[in-house]
Amino acid sequence: MAVLTACVLSLARLPAFEVVDDSFTTGAHTVRLKVLRNRRTAERLEVAPALGGKTEALLLRTATRHGCRLRPTLLDHHRNATAARANAAWKGAMLVPFANRVKNGSYALAGERHFLERNEDRGPYGKNALHGYLYKHEMTVLHEAANDTSASLTLGYNFDGTDAGYPFLLSVNITYTLHERRAGACAASAFTATTTATNTMAAAPLPFSTGWHSYFAVSDASRAVVALDGCTPWNHILLTNHSNRYGDLIPTGRTAPSAAFDGRAPLGGTPQRPTYYDDEFKATAPPRACGRLSTRITDGNETAVLWQDDNFRFVQVYSGAKETFGEDAIAVEAMSSEADAWNNEEGVRILQAGETFSGSFGVYLDP
């Protein structure tokens, strides 16, 4: 009896949060995970270090009329290791050292032209470099910790200059945190990611931007409501041919004020073909007036909130998940720069030797 009592007391003293290992296998492919978990609520964040720190899954708890519910907040690969390793639809990808597109995979810095890998073929509209290189690199676990209020994981990768068109030395750390947000009868957690990138070269500058390819799971995208933060006006970034389908999806340099996602109406269309968006928006209020921006994705009575700090002034909205790969979701992506920023200079960070970028975004559920 004394031994049993000691075991019970020992379990009771375990911290509420933990970091554990997990994996899943499909055929010849295995994906190994670091899982940040809230023992009390079963909420969890799954991260794949070998896949560029991809967020493989996020389950958070929300209060409903019928009690507390654990909700799959983001699309995942359904534990299909082949799909995860193939980077299917960029689900959960951390976009480093650039987010979105670079036209023709080409840019110039300090008078020298560079040529990135062109991994997006838009047929008659040309080829672009898309979403950076981190997704194909394995990150190293630098630190993990857990206590009664949070679990955290820090991954690191050092770009060594061998990626096509990126002959620079860049050290990148990403810290993932699952932390307590709400106590009480329906206790709930939230997710935060902080990206830190440092130019480790002795003298040369380098270009940098970042983002996160997050697909928010919904029951019917056509009925979901997306609301950009009301603190700031938003400009719609205009594209070639004024089309989010029939063009290279590269900004023209022109923008127009937009209220497209003011939260007043659902996305529209039909369940099988929701109104199609692959559109980018820029917050126009200064960061001192509207520093932290929150985009709300409401699905029935539940709302997921993507927040981003003042280093992320751009949001991409993509509603083609149902049409292109048959899943109900809306991609809402926090980005530190505009598409093609390495050419148009909208949001690009030119990091000088020793200079560091640090920015954060995160997700929580509103009941």
Side-chain angles (χ1 to χ4, degrees), residues 312-337:
F312 295 85
R313 308 304 289 174
F314 300 85
V315 173
Q316 183 88 17
V317 178
Y318 173 68
S319 63
K322 185 71 171 184
E323 183 178 332
T324 55
F325 54 90
E327 294 194 74
D328 286 295
I330 302 172
V332 181
E333 307 165 45
M335 298 190 303
S336 70
S337 69

Side-chain angles (χ1 to χ4, degrees), residues 332-346:
V332 181
E333 307 165 45
M335 298 190 303
S336 70
S337 69
E338 185 175 297
D340 201 32
W342 288 10
N343 288 307
N344 62 36
E345 301 181 357
E346 277 291 316

Side-chain angles (χ1 to χ4, degrees), residues 6 14 26 77-78 108 115 171 174 197 199 203 227 236 238 242 309 318 320 347:
L14 289 174
T26 306
H77 292 95
H78 313 293
F115 298 92
S171 177
I174 304 177
N199 179 346
H236 181 210
L238 303 182
H242 297 284
D309 72 12
Y318 173 68

Side-chain angles (χ1 to χ4, degrees), residues 231 286-293 308-313:
C231 176
R288 66 179 180 275
C290 300
R292 174 164 154 161
L293 303 174
Q308 53 203 73
D309 72 12
D310 59 8
N311 289 286
F312 295 85
R313 308 304 289 174

